[in-house]
Amino acid sequence: MALKVIKEQCTGCGLCVQVCPYNAIRLNDDGIAEVLESCILCGQCVDSCPMKALLMEEKHGEEATGYRGVMVFVEHEFGRINHVSFELLGKGRDLADKLTAPLCAMVIGDGAKDMAKEVGTYDVDEIYVVDAPHLREYQTNSYVREAENIINGYKPEIVLIGATTLGRDFAGALATRLETGLTADCTELDIDPERGLLMQTRPAFGGNIMATILCPYKRPQMSTVRPKVMPMPEKVTKDGARIIGIEPVSTPKDLLISILDFIKDTAGTVNLADADVIVSGGRGMKGPENFKMLLELAQLLGGAVGASRAAVDSGWIPYAHQVGQTGRTVRPKLYIACGISGAIQHLAGMQTSDIIVAINKDPEAPIFKVANYGIVGDLFKIVPEMIRQLKERKEKARS
């Protein structure tokens, strides 16, 4: 897309300058509208121009041809595959079926052949493997070179990558090398039934709206997806996928750094991503001391404690507990929201939970719109009562 000024029709009225929220248009010395680099093509100036002197032109690039199928990058660390890769295999299968195209995976690393066997227990058609000792630890340069080689050879139309710390680094560098687009932190993926394009939905403008993004001309179409956004697929019992070995194109000389040791981060012991039960607190907790009762409730349920951004920003609980767009995305079997209003940024991180229980004194709180069960009342009375009843039941079970 491009914004064009039809100079012959511009009268210099300045309405476009007034309505532009990004200060991306001005009047030049001749009194003619001029578009600046900060323009994001929102189109508000086009709608405001009474002389129709502004035109949004669609740039028709060269249509990509010869690309087919969906490919998932399999992320791993210390020989263990990150669960987000399996989640993407499930979503990738759905997308591939809609396109009547194959689903493939790429595994890069030392011991990749063994990891490929585990990947093959899921519903995937082909697995491309680059196995070499110098690829034991992830390094951007070497992994991107290997992935670029695989993609240029196989030509998938869609590439899916987990939006982890490693995945975000890898995806951005790979998209740059391939000179294609990348949509980060997608919460939904689908196929446009008319054009066959990947519909990539993600939060925008601070999470206040959901934007669906298309990449019509460049290939592959690339997306990153946060862990726990997509459901975990079932393993299959059919014959395994075809494993295709690829000779590495990188060498040990391509490694830009030497990794001497890994020191495990012990700052935050909470594991929200794998918790089946999460008890979260928000601004309604009123202070850090009140999170103790949420911890007690979580322990009785065998779960973990989460929090909203408001609680974390107030210094009541460490960032490791934050759930939401700027924190962790979670998908527990049970999510209990205590004193959380339900801002869209928070909902983006937990609304795919199996069961959501909301406790809030405000009956109009947005959290109730996504909750399976809602309790309108004082959480400082409700949560202690829940704890009391749970303890009572456990005592009866012991006796």
Side-chain angles (χ1 to χ4, degrees):
M1 301 287 286
L3 181 59
K4 180 182 178 181
V5 179
I6 305 172
K7 296 180 180 180
E8 295 78 15
Q9 294 177 214
C10 180
T11 61
C13 68
L15 278 175
C16 55
V17 178
Q18 295 174 32
V19 301
C20 180
Y22 302 100
N23 297 318
I25 194 165
R26 68 182 179 188
L27 298 181
N28 62 21
D29 294 339
D30 297 324
I32 302 298
E34 184 178 71
V35 181
L36 306 179
E37 290 184 0
S38 53
C39 174
I40 68 163
L41 305 175
C42 68
Q44 289 195 42
C45 58
V46 176
D47 297 332
S48 71
C49 182
M51 305 305 295
K52 307 298 180 186
L54 291 164
L55 177 66
M56 195 73 76
E57 283 190 326
E58 187 170 352
K59 286 187 176 180
H60 292 280
E62 184 179 342
E63 195 75 31
T65 58
Y67 289 82
R68 184 171 181 266
V70 179
M71 178 170 280
V72 173
F73 170 68
V74 177
E75 180 182 333
H76 57 86
E77 190 175 31
F78 305 119
R80 294 185 61 184
I81 297 173
N82 192 313
H83 62 81
V84 71
S85 299
F86 297 128
E87 294 164 10
L88 291 178
L89 286 174
K91 188 60 188 180
R93 178 80 273 166
D94 176 54
L95 298 174
D97 288 347
K98 289 181 178 180
L99 292 166
T100 60
L103 171 65
C104 302
M106 58 173 158
V107 188
I108 302 167
D110 185 21
K113 292 177 183 177
D114 292 331
M115 287 184 278
K117 294 176 183 177
E118 185 178 359
V119 174
T121 62
Y122 292 86
D123 193 3
V124 57
D125 300 308
E126 295 177 339
I127 306 171
Y128 292 83
V129 175
V130 183
D131 196 331
H134 74 276
L135 298 170
R136 181 176 181 180
E137 288 95 10
Y138 169 78
Q139 289 200 31
T140 309
N141 190 44
S142 55
Y143 268 59
V144 167
R145 283 199 64 191
E146 301 299 346
E148 182 185 18
N149 180 55
I150 293 171
I151 290 169
N152 285 337
Y154 169 64
K155 290 187 176 294
E157 56 190 307
I158 295 171
V159 174
L160 305 179
I161 300 166
T164 61
T165 302
L166 184 154
R168 288 182 173 121
D169 175 82
F170 173 76
L174 180 60
T176 302
R177 288 277 271 270
L178 295 171
E179 296 185 352
T180 190
L182 169 67
T183 305
D185 286 349
C186 294
T187 56
E188 186 178 343
L189 299 172
D190 205 351
I191 300 296
D192 183 339
E194 295 182 2
R195 304 173 66 186
L197 297 174
L198 180 64
M199 299 168 65
Q200 306 160 94
T201 302
R202 57 149 298 162
F205 291 102
N208 292 310
I209 64 169
M210 301 300 288
T212 298
I213 298 166
L214 301 178
C215 184
Y217 304 115
K218 292 289 188 175
R219 293 293 180 272
Q221 302 161 89
M222 292 181 59
S223 301
T224 64
V225 180
R226 294 176 114 187
K228 295 291 184 178
V229 168
M230 304 298 175
M232 190 78 170
E234 298 290 335
K235 292 186 177 182
V236 296
T237 55
K238 70 173 189 178
D239 294 337
R242 188 162 75 102
I243 298 177
I244 302 167
I246 305 290
E247 286 297 314
V249 293
S250 65
T251 68
K253 293 181 180 180
D254 293 310
L255 303 179
L256 302 180
I257 60 173
S258 297
I259 298 175
L260 304 180
D261 194 12
F262 280 95
I263 300 174
K264 189 174 181 181
D265 179 15
T266 57
T269 58
V270 62
N271 187 2
L272 292 176
D274 296 329
D276 287 334
V277 177
I278 297 176
V279 181
S280 281
R283 197 187 302 275
M285 296 305 298
K286 297 183 179 179
E289 65 282 355
N290 294 319
F291 274 83
K292 292 178 182 178
M293 67 176 177
L294 298 192
L295 176 60
E296 186 176 4
L297 178 59
Q299 289 174 339
L300 286 168
L301 295 169
V305 174
S308 69
R309 178 174 177 174
V312 173
D313 287 349
S314 297
W316 298 346
I317 192 167
Y319 171 76
H321 296 262
Q322 184 172 321
V323 174
Q325 184 186 354
T326 53
R328 296 290 186 91
T329 300
V330 296
R331 198 188 187 102
K333 294 177 181 177
L334 174 62
Y335 188 90
I336 303 176
C338 304
I340 295 175
S341 63
I344 192 169
Q345 293 91 337
H346 185 78
L347 300 184
M350 47 66 72
Q351 61 187 352
T352 55
S353 304
D354 291 351
I355 299 293
I356 299 172
V357 177
I359 305 171
N360 201 296
K361 65 181 181 181
D362 179 9
E364 302 300 322
I367 191 73
F368 288 123
K369 293 180 181 178
V370 300
N372 300 94
Y373 303 96
I375 305 173
V376 179
D378 185 351
L379 71 88
F380 295 103
K381 294 179 181 178
I382 294 166
V383 173
E385 179 61 20
M386 292 172 71
I387 292 170
R388 187 191 69 77
Q389 291 195 27
L390 283 168
K391 286 181 175 180
E392 193 175 277
R393 288 189 180 189
K394 290 200 170 190
E395 286 296 326
K396 287 181 179 179
R398 291 194 192 101
S399 57

